[in-house]
Amino acid sequence: MPFGTFIICSSDATSFENPDSILKILVALASVHDKNQGLESVDYGNIVKSLYLKATCIGFSTQGENMTNPDSLATGINLQLQALGLTPHIQLQQENFDINTLATKSKELEQKKKLFDPSKKLNNMKVNMAQLEWYKKKSKNLQLGYYDSYKNKNAPFDHDADLYQKMLTSYWEKMVEEVEMKPQKEGAAFRTRWLYGGTTYRRMVEPLAIADYYREGGKDYVNNKRSKHFKQLEDWLMEASTTNATSKKNVEAILTIDSCFWAHVEEALLLCRELKAVKEKEETLKKLFEFEEYVYQLLKDYTISPDIFLAQSSYIRWWNEYKAIKGSSYISALANFMNDGTNFKQYAVGAYDFP
């Protein structure tokens, strides 16, 4: 199948992105020429130079709001086919191949693509993100946190959040797919432009995907269930070498930097239960200690939301189970921090000094 943007050159040039459209047009062009004629020798360099002077592009950037209008789209498709010499009057070698049918089919395929307009839908997605911000705040007031509230789904507003989560996920899945289809240079520019929005979305919404997974009894979300588009958004952030540092002054308002944090909490809870069932406890205790160190490092970097300290959060539940396993005399950097509840308030305002 064709991939990316094809610029097809005849006496004029035109471009298409939909792989099915490209395939049909290439078949039609092949059918126009005498099959015994063979390939013509062309001056590729002059063709490329001429593209600066004359090109009919599928982007429809000059049509503005008429881009998704069926009549305007049909006219644009017809102009593109004419630029390649594909008009209703020409005779094709394939008797069952009709130019009008090709134009209609191309219009349908391109219209499906153009209905997804990232820029136009972005404002709607901002509204959905604002709704989730409100949901996060409301859940915090209940001393539960939005992760656990969504996982439990005991209130009507939890189901409203489900709708916002699905709309945002659908949008960003399409966005990531669109970027991956673009040529490397164009895709890189696109990723940079949308990096902030994609990162904020991932940090807000991926915990909800994690909550869905563990509510249904899932295990090892990161390796078994994590969506490709979450991974891709995170990879693009890493490629951009954007620092994860946060200001102490703003820590109360941040989203946890590691969007898989709650998956690690759930795995730690499973390890606590596993510890009661296994005879060989050393390996399980080692994994729990590694999680303990992971949490403490996030705290030291001020890259974790203070919402994890809410009384009914899964993190606090893990800590209570872990503390019971280790005993009241257990001493560690995290234990020293967690055993004094006043530290949570100091952390939330950026006033706690880690040793």
Side-chain angles (χ1 to χ4, degrees), residues 291-311:
F291 175 69
E292 182 184 343
E293 288 189 314
Y294 157 77
V295 172
Y296 189 70
Q297 188 59 52
L298 289 178
L299 289 168
K300 282 185 70 175
D301 294 339
Y302 275 90
T303 54
I304 194 168
S305 169
D307 289 3
I308 69 167
F309 304 128
L310 294 171

Side-chain angles (χ1 to χ4, degrees), residues 130-142:
Q131 293 285 3
L132 286 183
E133 287 283 359
W134 172 86
Y135 174 64
K136 182 174 181 286
K137 184 176 181 180
K138 188 175 181 68
S139 302
K140 181 179 179 179
N141 292 339
L142 298 174

Side-chain angles (χ1 to χ4, degrees), residues 180-354:
E180 289 185 316
M181 289 284 287
K182 292 180 180 292
Q184 186 175 356
K185 186 175 180 180
E186 185 181 349
F190 191 91
R191 291 197 298 271
T192 301
R193 190 164 64 250
W194 295 86
L195 189 62
Y196 176 78
T199 300
T200 304
Y201 152 77
R202 175 174 57 82
R203 291 172 180 168
M204 173 67 84
V205 174
E206 188 164 16
L208 305 183
I210 293 167
D212 278 331
Y213 182 64
Y214 284 96
R215 187 193 312 111
E216 301 301 322
K219 190 174 182 180
D220 196 2
Y221 164 85
V222 173
N223 293 314
N224 295 336
K225 185 64 178 178
R226 195 182 190 201
S227 171
K228 178 184 174 183
H229 82 289
F230 286 134
K231 295 177 188 175
Q232 195 64 73
L233 286 168
E234 187 171 31
D235 287 346
W236 290 340
L237 181 66
M238 298 294 287
E239 289 171 13
S241 300
T242 302
T243 177
N244 280 334
T246 58
S247 167
K248 286 185 177 183
K249 294 179 181 179
N250 298 327
V251 69
E252 193 165 14
I254 70 164
L255 294 165
T256 298
I257 298 302
D258 184 357
S259 57
C260 289
F261 170 78
W262 289 107
H264 299 311
V265 172
E266 294 286 358
E267 291 300 313
L269 280 166
L270 290 173
L271 287 171
C272 287
R273 292 162 202 161
E274 180 184 304
L275 200 60
K276 300 171 185 177
V278 297
K279 292 182 179 180
E280 297 295 329
K281 302 180 185 298
E282 186 176 342
E283 185 63 29
T284 305
L285 284 169
K286 180 183 176 184
K287 290 178 181 177
L288 281 166
F289 181 69
E290 288 172 353
F291 175 69
E292 182 184 343
E293 288 189 314
Y294 157 77
V295 172
Y296 189 70
Q297 188 59 52
L298 289 178
L299 289 168
K300 282 185 70 175
D301 294 339
Y302 275 90
T303 54
I304 194 168
S305 169
D307 289 3
I308 69 167
F309 304 128
L310 294 171
Q312 299 181 60
S313 81
S314 290
Y315 171 76
I316 291 296
R317 185 154 54 90
W318 167 77
W319 174 250
N320 290 334
E321 290 188 26
Y322 184 60
K323 187 167 65 170
I325 291 168
K326 301 297 284 186
S328 57
S329 61
Y330 177 63
I331 297 174
S332 71
L334 183 63
N336 292 339
F337 176 84
M338 293 296 300
N339 288 335
D340 185 350
T342 61
N343 292 339
F344 305 162
K345 293 180 180 178
Q346 290 185 52
Y347 176 85
V349 296
Y352 185 81
D353 290 323
F354 288 92

